[in-house]
């Protein structure tokens, strides 16, 4: 059975040969991380995303204590399309019970993930939030274990994820070229913080694909603002709040502007956005189509950038409670 798919821009991912949709499906909300999501809604959301041309789905055993992987697995299975029609990334090393980047744990981890996802292989297996482990262990033990899993056909490519940008150069400078295929960075390519851009020439030079997540800065760039636990400074929170209020006063949505800003940089292969309802999929896809057809709302963007200028590129320490 085939599902008629709308066209969405596909971008090459480093040297992998994969072509990923410019918007990727962040499946952490399917783990009821931000509120309960019924299985029927999870399946419908995955289907709608696929129907709208999204072919890249990202999850982790950490999200919702394995629930995200199970829900995504059910959604993908229900598509009843060839496995080669979609690209799946999951992660290892971070779990509800804590961090474990040992070769033994990550080797077991992929088998557990594949079972939950109901898949024979994943396209990308990331080491999840590596700044919480020993980076030397990642280099000398975890990545070699992932290379073995790659040879065994359980994953096609290897990635690393985390918040501080210097973790990527630390690892990539210490492994043979072509060992790490992809990096996943979050909260560093958005209208309030675009520091990832400084790393792109280095990553391109290494042939590493770039995925960026959290274009809304973990909720700061929304009308309701970030969650209580958000680690940003009070200044950054209030500037983002002011920017959101400004957009609202003009009848605009800061979420759309922020997503479009992140999507406009084609050096970034895919921007991951968390989705847990058909309406969220529709809203995100509408933002993509509008950007393709009409371009950015430069006037509002300039006004928002002016509001955020005093806190531009301000980050926060990596906290264990982050989603």
């Amino acid at each position: 059975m085939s599902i008629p798919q709308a066209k969405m821009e596909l971008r090459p991912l480093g040297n992998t040969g994969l072509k990923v949709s410019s918007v990727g499906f962040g499946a952490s909300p399917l783990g009821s991380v931000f509120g309960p999501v019924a299985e029927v809604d999870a399946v419908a959301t995955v289907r709608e995303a696929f129907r709208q041309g999204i072919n890249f789905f990202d999850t982790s055993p950490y999200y919702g204590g394995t629930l995200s992987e199970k829900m995504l697995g059910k959604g993908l299975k229900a598509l009843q399309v060839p496995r080669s029609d979609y690209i799946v990334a999951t992660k290892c090393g971070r779990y509800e019970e804590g961090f474990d980047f040992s070769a033994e744990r990550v080797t077991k981890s992929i088998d557990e993930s594949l079972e939950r996802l109901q898949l024979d292989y994943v396209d990308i297996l990331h080491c999840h939030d590596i700044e919480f482990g020993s980076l030397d262990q990642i280099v000398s033990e975890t990545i070699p274990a992932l290379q073995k899993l790659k040879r065994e056909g359980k994953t096609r490519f290897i990635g690393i994820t985390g918040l501080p940008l210097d973790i990527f150069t630390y690892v990539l400078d210490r492994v043979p070229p072509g060992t790490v295929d992809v990096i996943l960075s979050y909260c560093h390519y958005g209208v309030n913080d675009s520091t990832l851009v400084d790393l792109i020439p280095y990553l391109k030079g290494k042939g590493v694909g770039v995925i960026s997540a959290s274009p809304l800065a973990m909720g700061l760039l929304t009308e309701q603002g970030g969650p209580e636990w958000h680690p940003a400074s009070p200044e950054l929170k209030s500037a983002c709040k002011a920017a959101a209020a400004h957009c609202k006063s003009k009848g605009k949505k800061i979420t759309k502007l922020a997503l479009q800003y992140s999507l406009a940089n084609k050096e970034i292969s895919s921007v991951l956005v968390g989705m847990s309802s058909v309406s969220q999929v529709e809203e995100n896809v509408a933002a993509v189509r509008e950007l393709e057809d009409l371009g950015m709302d430069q006037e509002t963007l300039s006004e928002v950038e002016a509001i955020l200028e005093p806190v531009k590129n301000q980050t926060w320490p990596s906290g264990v409670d982050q989603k």
Side-chain angles (χ1 to χ4, degrees):
M1 187 181 98
S2 81
I3 297 173
Q5 266 188 294
K7 275 252 181 289
M8 185 179 286
E9 182 195 357
L10 299 179
R11 298 177 181 176
L13 181 62
N15 291 342
T16 63
L18 297 175
K19 286 192 157 54
V20 289
S21 47
S22 58
V23 167
F25 186 106
S28 74
L30 298 188
S32 295
V33 170
F34 304 102
V37 179
E39 186 180 317
V40 59
D41 295 324
V43 169
T45 306
V46 170
R47 184 181 182 82
E48 181 62 17
F50 185 80
R51 199 180 69 76
Q52 293 282 6
I54 294 173
N55 73 345
F56 181 40
F57 297 84
D58 175 270
T59 184
S60 165
Y62 173 64
Y63 302 146
T66 74
L67 186 59
S68 170
E69 286 187 329
K70 288 173 190 155
M71 289 293 204
L72 179 61
K74 286 173 178 176
L76 292 172
K77 190 174 176 125
L79 293 175
Q80 296 183 295
V81 298
R83 172 67 183 86
S84 56
D85 285 3
Y86 52 83
I87 294 161
V88 179
T90 193
K91 310 185 183 78
C92 62
R94 184 170 198 179
Y95 309 97
E96 200 172 31
E97 58 276 13
F99 293 90
D100 187 346
F101 292 103
S102 66
E104 185 184 8
R105 182 68 187 98
V106 300
T107 301
K108 200 164 151 249
S109 188
I110 185 63
D111 289 333
E112 296 164 354
S113 289
L114 291 174
E115 193 173 328
R116 287 190 286 263
L117 287 162
Q118 303 181 60
L119 298 175
D120 297 326
Y121 67 91
V122 291
D123 297 279
I124 303 164
L125 181 59
H126 292 288
C127 302
H128 194 180
D129 291 342
I130 59 172
E131 67 269 29
F132 293 108
S134 148
L135 295 183
D136 292 323
Q137 182 191 28
I138 300 293
V139 168
S140 64
E141 183 179 343
T142 320
I143 288 173
L146 266 52
Q147 287 180 286
K148 187 166 180 281
L149 296 173
K150 185 175 177 176
R151 290 193 294 272
E152 290 169 5
K154 290 179 181 180
T155 183
R156 294 174 67 198
F157 301 104
I158 294 168
I160 49 177
T161 87
L163 183 68
L165 292 172
D166 57 3
I167 60 175
F168 298 122
T169 47
Y170 187 94
V171 171
L172 290 167
D173 283 344
R174 286 164 177 79
V175 296
T179 307
V180 172
D181 304 291
V182 188
I183 66 111
L184 194 174
S185 164
Y186 70 100
C187 292
H188 288 307
Y189 195 77
V191 70
N192 63 304
D193 180 340
S194 56
T195 47
L196 176 61
V197 82
D198 299 331
L199 202 58
I200 288 176
Y202 166 89
L203 294 167
K204 282 198 84 164
K206 297 262 184 194
V208 172
V210 184
I211 300 161
S212 180
S214 204
L216 310 182
M218 295 185 339
L220 290 183
L221 300 173
T222 61
E223 283 174 13
Q224 55 274 25
E228 274 300 299
W229 51 261
H230 201 295
S233 70
E235 301 80 33
L236 180 53
K237 285 179 178 174
S238 68
C240 290
K241 203 171 180 176
H246 175 74
C247 289
K248 197 173 181 181
S249 73
K250 293 185 71 175
K252 311 276 182 179
K253 287 188 87 155
I254 193 159
T255 47
K256 180 167 84 172
L257 188 79
L259 176 56
Q260 290 180 331
Y261 177 91
S262 295
L263 284 167
N265 187 336
K266 298 195 184 223
E267 302 275 3
I268 292 167
S269 299
S270 191
V271 177
L272 289 177
V273 189
M275 307 186 215
S276 59
S277 68
V278 168
S279 62
Q280 284 172 353
V281 174
E282 289 169 344
E283 196 178 317
N284 292 326
V285 170
V288 182
R289 307 257 186 262
E290 185 184 291
L291 181 64
E292 287 170 356
D293 296 343
L294 303 170
M296 282 291 292
D297 176 352
Q298 289 297 343
E299 183 188 296
T300 308
L301 176 62
S302 302
E303 292 159 357
V304 163
E305 286 181 320
I307 294 167
L308 295 174
E309 185 54 42
V311 292
K312 177 79 174 170
N313 295 338
Q314 189 185 109
T315 187
W316 49 82
S318 203
V320 175
D321 57 356
Q322 282 164 217
K323 296 296 178 276

